[in-house]
């Protein structure tokens, strides 16, 4: 980090030959406008102390020569905000020497020399061992770094480095980190959940989705045009259907049809009520309950159609129509008719769904079928975001299949969730990962830290503020944006979690990422 100058070069410096050049201090950084003669005379000849430390607010990276009594030592101090990994651009910095919890000396600079870099000169007037701290104060926060013991020596001959720099293979300067996308994360043990791949289809919950079909052949009539996206309440009128009646239609037959339709409606309504209670208790399957609900919907349409046809025939008014009403509260998803259009019996006219909830029906390969009953949710990519649907996002497992679909060779899990928590487009099909089993305590880092380097999974570990080490790692469980590392790093190491590719470029000596200062 520091630069050793040859004796002839020192003589030239002493004579002022390079007087107009920026002074190099603390590892060879040029700092415009500084003139630290003592630091030039001895600090640049001696390797620097190098310390990197983190607290809740900042990362401190500081380089300084051994401290010698009554000699100035420039602390080349880099401060990075940990909330955005950008340079600190304001604040007052104190370098504090203390002993027995009492401040012995304090050295202050009131602003950075340039973005992110403070250059306090420390001139101790006593020898011995002191506690060293750096304290940065701004108008809104204070960041203190306690660096432990430091020695103030009698002379340069007996001085030595107490905090040595690492011999990492990659140098990536602070100015580069501040200007390019960059972040670091600490490797730590967290609970991860195993997941298996599958595909999920977005649907509406039971009783909250319907397709309104034409009850008879006829012409659709409406006083207004219904559009997709409109909100409707239950029993809202969407229009009417003017059926075509043949001349040979017998009124007696219509009366019999009406009584038959009433009877079928009452039976279907009672059946749905009974099966709903059993379904809520888990005594009957979802399929059986849905079939009963479908029969009720058909019975409602048949009853209304028969009533309308009877009124039309008995009154002789050809303009009497069958009211088309919304059977549920929600929004219009699709419209297949417009005023004046002719439809055949059974043709779709509208599709409606409730807005509040969605279901995700997940199909996974049959080889995972024995494990799906342990699921706690899913994670998926949607609109360039990673989403987790589990209890924390108010999602609920509503059904797990106990049989393999013979056509797709998959098993199914249904998950209910609030529409705003996940994908809401009904019918959308998405790749998902279904959580199975209990969480496992694992050493993990962000997935974004992993680089595929010629088929190897690689991360870059920060060993000092501007030094990094390339590590080949072995991957384990992936849970959302976090991945288990089974070998290659240790707990509490800092890995580059954003901008790792820029560090890789720096390791190859590329010039495209720019340099802030010379080393």
């Amino acid at each position: 980090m520091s630069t050793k100058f040859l004796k002839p070069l020192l003589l030239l410096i002493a004579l002022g030959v390079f007087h107009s050049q920026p002074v190099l201090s603390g590892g060879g950084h040029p700092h415009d406008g500084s003139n630290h003669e003592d630091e030039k005379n001895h600090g640049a000849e001696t390797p620097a102390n190098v310390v990197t430390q983190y607290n809740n607010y900042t990362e401190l990276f500081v380089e300084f020569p051994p401290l010698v009594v009554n000699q100035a030592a420039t602390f080349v101090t880099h401060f990075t905000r940990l909330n955005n990994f950008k340079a600190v651009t304001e604040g007052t910095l104190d370098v504090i020497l203390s002993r027995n919890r009492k401040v012995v000396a304090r050295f202050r600079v009131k602003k950075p020399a340039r973005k992110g870099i403070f250059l306090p000169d420390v001139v101790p007037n006593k020898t011995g061992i002191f506690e060293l701290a750096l304290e940065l104060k701004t108008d809104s926060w204070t960041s203190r770094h306690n660096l432990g013991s430091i020695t103030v020596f009698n002379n340069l001959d007996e001085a030595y480095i107490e905090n040595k720099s690492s011999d990492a293979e990659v140098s990536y300067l602070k100015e580069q980190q501040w200007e390019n996308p960059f972040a670091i994360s600490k490797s730590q043990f967290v609970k991860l959940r195993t997941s298996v791949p599958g595909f999920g289809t977005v649907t509406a919950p039971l009783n909250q989705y319907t397709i309104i079909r034409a009850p008879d052949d006829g012409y659709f009539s409406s006083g207004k045009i219904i559009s997709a996206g409109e909100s409707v309440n239950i029993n809202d009128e969407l229009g009417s259907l003017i059926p075509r009646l043949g001349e040979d239609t017998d009124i007696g037959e219509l009366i019999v049809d009406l009584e038959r339709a009433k009877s079928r409606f009452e039976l279907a309504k009672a059946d749905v009520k009974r099966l709903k209670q059993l379904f809520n208790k888990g005594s009957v399957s979802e399929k059986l309950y849905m079939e009963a609900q479908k029969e009720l919907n058909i019975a409602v349409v048949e009853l209304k159609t028969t009533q309308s046809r009877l009124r039309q025939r008995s009154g002789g008014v050809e303009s009497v129509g069958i009211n088309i009403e919304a059977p549920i509260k929600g929004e219009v998803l699709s419209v297949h008719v417009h005023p004046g259009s002719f439809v055949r019996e059974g043709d779709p006219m509208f599709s409606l769904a409730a807005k509040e909830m969605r279901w995700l029906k997940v199909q996974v390969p049959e080889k995972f079928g024995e494990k799906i009953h342990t699921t706690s949710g899913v994670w998926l990519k949607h609109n360039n975001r990673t989403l987790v649907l589990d209890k924390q996002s108010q999602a609920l497992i509503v059904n797990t299949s106990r049989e393999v679909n013979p056509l797709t060779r998959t098993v199914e899990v249904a998950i209910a969730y609030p529409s705003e928590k996940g994908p809401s487009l009904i019918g959308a099909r998405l790749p998902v990962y279904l959580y199975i089993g209990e969480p496992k305590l694992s050493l993990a880092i962000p997935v974004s830290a992993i680089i595929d380097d010629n088929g190897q999974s690689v991360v870059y570990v920060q060993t000092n503020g501007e030094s990094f080490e390339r590590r080949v790692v072995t991957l384990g469980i992936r849970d959302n944006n976090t991945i288990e590392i089974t070998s290659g790093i240790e707990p509490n190491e800092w890995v580059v979690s954003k901008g790792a590719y820029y560090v890789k470029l720096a390791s190859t000596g590329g010039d495209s990422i720019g340099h802030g200062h010379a080393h």
Side-chain angles (χ1 to χ4, degrees):
M1 300 295 294
S2 63
T3 306
K4 291 188 176 182
F5 294 88
L6 299 176
K7 290 183 178 179
L9 185 58
L10 288 174
L11 179 60
L12 291 174
I13 294 174
L15 293 174
V17 173
F18 297 133
H19 180 72
S20 63
Q21 297 296 319
V23 175
L24 299 178
S25 63
H29 300 66
H31 302 286
D32 297 341
S34 301
N35 187 15
H36 305 286
E37 293 297 334
D38 290 338
E39 199 277 330
K40 285 194 298 180
N41 289 336
H42 65 261
E45 293 180 358
T46 309
N49 289 287
V50 179
V51 178
T52 303
Q53 192 185 83
Y54 314 87
N55 62 21
N56 292 334
Y57 292 99
T58 57
E59 175 201 281
L60 165 69
F61 171 56
V62 59
E63 304 163 292
F64 59 95
L67 301 185
V68 178
V69 66
N70 295 325
Q71 293 192 25
T74 299
F75 278 54
V76 182
T77 311
H78 309 71
F79 275 102
T80 303
R81 284 299 308 269
L82 288 181
N83 63 347
N84 59 11
F85 294 94
K86 298 300 182 183
V88 174
T89 57
E90 61 175 346
T92 298
L93 175 63
D94 285 351
V95 179
I96 303 168
L97 295 177
S98 59
R99 182 183 285 166
N100 298 326
R101 298 184 179 181
K102 293 183 179 180
V103 175
V104 176
R106 183 187 297 267
F107 308 91
R108 173 174 293 177
V109 288
K110 295 184 177 181
K111 62 180 181 179
R114 56 180 172 146
K115 185 171 67 174
I117 299 176
F118 295 77
L119 298 174
D121 280 335
V122 174
V123 188
N125 58 11
K126 295 181 181 180
T127 61
I129 298 175
F130 299 86
E131 294 299 313
L132 175 64
L134 276 72
E135 186 174 83
L136 178 64
K137 290 185 178 181
T138 70
D139 292 338
S140 55
W141 50 270
T142 298
S143 175
R144 183 182 176 94
H145 291 266
N146 296 310
L147 304 188
S149 299
I150 195 73
T151 303
V152 177
F153 298 97
N154 282 310
N155 53 65
L156 187 59
D157 291 335
E158 67 179 40
Y160 59 88
I161 298 301
E162 297 176 272
N163 299 281
K164 294 183 179 180
S165 174
S166 67
D167 295 325
E169 60 193 55
V170 182
S171 176
Y172 190 55
L173 309 182
K174 278 299 172 190
E175 284 85 343
Q176 294 169 290
Q177 297 173 28
W178 293 332
E179 295 301 323
N180 295 313
F182 183 81
I184 55 175
S185 298
K186 185 185 290 187
S187 60
Q188 53 191 333
F189 284 97
V190 296
K191 287 186 176 181
L192 300 182
R193 293 177 286 182
T194 302
S195 58
V196 296
F199 279 91
T201 303
V202 181
T203 69
L206 291 175
N207 300 331
Q208 295 187 25
Y209 174 78
T210 186
I211 297 176
I212 301 175
R213 299 184 181 275
D216 205 343
D217 295 352
Y219 292 91
F220 178 72
S221 174
S222 177
K224 66 173 184 176
I225 297 177
I226 306 296
S227 301
E230 288 190 29
S231 297
V232 294
N233 289 313
I234 191 168
N235 297 328
D236 276 0
E237 185 174 328
L238 304 177
S240 61
L241 184 70
I242 311 300
R244 294 195 307 176
L245 290 179
E247 294 298 328
D248 58 347
T249 303
D250 181 68
I251 192 168
E253 290 181 2
L254 291 178
I255 293 174
V256 172
D257 289 343
L258 177 61
E259 293 302 318
R260 187 181 294 115
K262 287 180 179 179
S263 176
R264 184 174 179 181
F265 168 73
E266 293 298 333
L267 288 173
K269 185 168 68 171
D271 206 22
V272 167
K273 182 178 180 180
R274 178 178 60 85
L275 288 175
K276 183 177 181 180
Q277 294 175 345
L278 294 174
F279 175 73
N280 291 335
K281 294 178 181 179
S283 301
V284 297
S285 67
E286 172 192 351
K287 181 179 180 181
L288 189 61
Y289 177 49
M290 290 183 68
E291 287 177 350
Q293 182 64 47
K294 183 178 179 181
E295 289 297 321
L296 177 59
N297 292 338
I298 293 173
V300 170
V301 172
E302 285 186 347
L303 178 60
K304 290 183 178 180
T305 301
T306 306
Q307 289 172 335
S308 177
R309 295 176 70 186
L310 181 60
R311 287 197 304 270
Q312 184 178 355
R313 173 54 63 196
S314 60
V317 181
E318 294 296 329
S319 62
V320 174
I322 304 168
N323 286 337
I324 306 299
E325 297 176 347
I328 61 172
K329 178 183 178 181
E331 66 176 335
V332 179
L333 300 181
S334 59
V335 179
H336 303 280
V337 292
H338 60 271
S341 60
F342 178 78
V343 292
R344 294 286 185 184
E345 181 180 355
D347 286 351
M349 302 177 72
F350 302 93
S351 61
L352 311 176
K355 295 181 179 180
E356 293 78 13
M357 296 292 292
R358 291 290 184 265
W359 280 20
L360 189 68
K361 292 189 174 181
V362 180
Q363 293 83 36
V364 298
E366 62 178 304
K367 65 180 179 180
F368 303 119
E370 297 293 335
K371 299 179 180 179
I372 65 169
H373 68 280
T374 65
T375 186
S376 57
V378 298
W379 68 270
L380 66 150
K381 297 283 188 179
H382 180 62
N383 291 338
N384 297 320
R385 295 187 302 143
T386 300
L387 303 178
V388 177
L389 299 178
D390 59 9
K391 284 185 178 180
Q392 291 187 348
S393 57
Q394 302 173 24
L396 180 66
I397 309 299
V398 292
N399 186 46
T400 54
S401 174
R402 294 293 182 177
E403 62 180 356
V404 176
N405 185 309
L407 297 178
T408 62
R409 309 308 303 175
T410 60
V411 289
E412 185 176 277
V413 175
I415 300 171
Y417 58 92
S419 298
E420 69 273 9
K421 299 291 186 178
S424 60
L425 182 63
I426 289 178
R429 185 167 168 82
L430 307 162
V432 301
Y433 293 86
L434 183 74
Y435 290 123
I436 57 173
E438 294 297 322
K440 172 188 173 185
L441 193 63
S442 307
L443 180 63
I445 61 175
V447 172
S448 58
I450 308 297
I451 287 181
D452 185 345
D453 191 353
N454 293 322
Q456 291 182 314
S457 296
V458 170
V459 300
Y460 285 91
V461 177
Q462 186 184 51
T463 56
N464 261 320
E466 296 179 335
S467 301
F468 298 84
E469 190 174 279
R470 179 183 182 273
R471 303 270 188 88
V472 177
V473 295
T474 305
L475 308 181
I477 298 170
R478 176 172 177 174
D479 184 348
N480 193 359
N481 291 323
T482 306
I483 192 163
E484 178 187 22
I485 303 298
T486 59
S487 68
I489 62 173
E490 299 297 326
N492 299 318
E493 290 191 298
W494 291 87
V495 300
V496 180
S497 55
K498 181 180 181 181
Y501 186 72
Y502 287 90
V503 182
K504 181 180 183 296
L505 286 179
S507 70
T508 63
D511 295 328
S512 61
I513 54 177
H515 286 270
H517 53 239
H519 277 269

